[in-house]
Amino acid sequence: MNKIENAAQLKTEIARLKALAKVQEQQLRTDVKELREELKPHNILLKSVSSFTGIKVDKKEYVKEGLAYALSLIAQRYILKTESKIEERAYEFVDSVFEKIKKFMNKFTSHEAKREERNEHK
């Protein structure tokens, strides 16, 4: 700091100190606001869980992870329902194919049985 020699230098130094005081005051307000946020119960709980488990648990990440988990569950349930419907339809299709094959085979076996009966009666 230089030695103040006249009124103009004094005014300049006062203005500089006021600007510095405003910056420091704003920084204090920000620090107090952050401290209040950190001391909220849910934030204390999240930090406790994070320190206990060793896994970083952030409020924003917690919400994102929760949404991702919920969407995953919804998708899984939808897929399971769809899978069961498709499976049921596949079984019905396979059953109908086997029924048709069985009927087709019965036609031949019934004709052969009738021929054998005729040949035996002769």
Side-chain angles (χ1 to χ4, degrees):
M1 182 170 128
N2 294 336
K3 196 173 188 180
I4 298 174
E5 297 177 358
N6 58 37
Q9 288 178 346
L10 179 62
K11 287 181 182 179
T12 304
E13 186 63 20
I14 290 172
R16 185 186 71 79
L17 290 174
K18 282 183 179 180
L20 181 63
K22 279 187 179 184
V23 169
Q24 290 176 344
E25 184 181 337
Q26 186 61 37
Q27 184 61 46
L28 280 173
R29 287 178 195 257
T30 303
D31 291 346
V32 168
K33 187 177 180 181
E34 289 174 1
L35 187 60
R36 279 186 193 156
E37 188 67 30
E38 287 181 19
L39 293 176
K40 287 184 178 179
H42 64 277
N43 287 334
I44 292 172
L45 179 66
L46 288 176
K47 283 188 177 186
S48 299
V49 169
S50 178
S51 65
F52 180 71
T53 60
I55 300 170
K56 185 179 178 186
V57 179
D58 185 22
K59 184 176 165 183
K60 293 175 185 175
E61 291 298 318
Y62 186 71
V63 171
K64 287 179 188 176
E65 292 294 324
L67 286 174
Y69 182 71
L71 289 175
S72 173
L73 282 177
I74 291 169
Q76 286 176 1
R77 288 185 183 219
Y78 177 75
I79 289 170
L80 285 175
K81 285 182 180 180
T82 305
E83 179 184 13
S84 64
K85 286 180 183 179
I86 290 172
E87 184 179 14
E88 185 179 318
R89 287 183 182 165
Y91 284 138
E92 289 173 0
F93 175 76
V94 170
D95 286 343
S96 69
V97 168
F98 279 117
E99 275 300 313
K100 288 178 182 178
I101 291 171
K102 188 177 175 182
K103 286 180 183 179
F104 183 73
M105 296 300 284
N106 282 339
K107 286 181 185 179
F108 287 113
T109 56
S110 65
H111 287 300
E112 288 178 17
K114 287 180 184 178
R115 283 183 193 163
E116 287 178 13
E117 284 180 24
R118 286 184 201 159
N119 290 337
E120 287 177 8
H121 291 290
K122 288 185 183 182

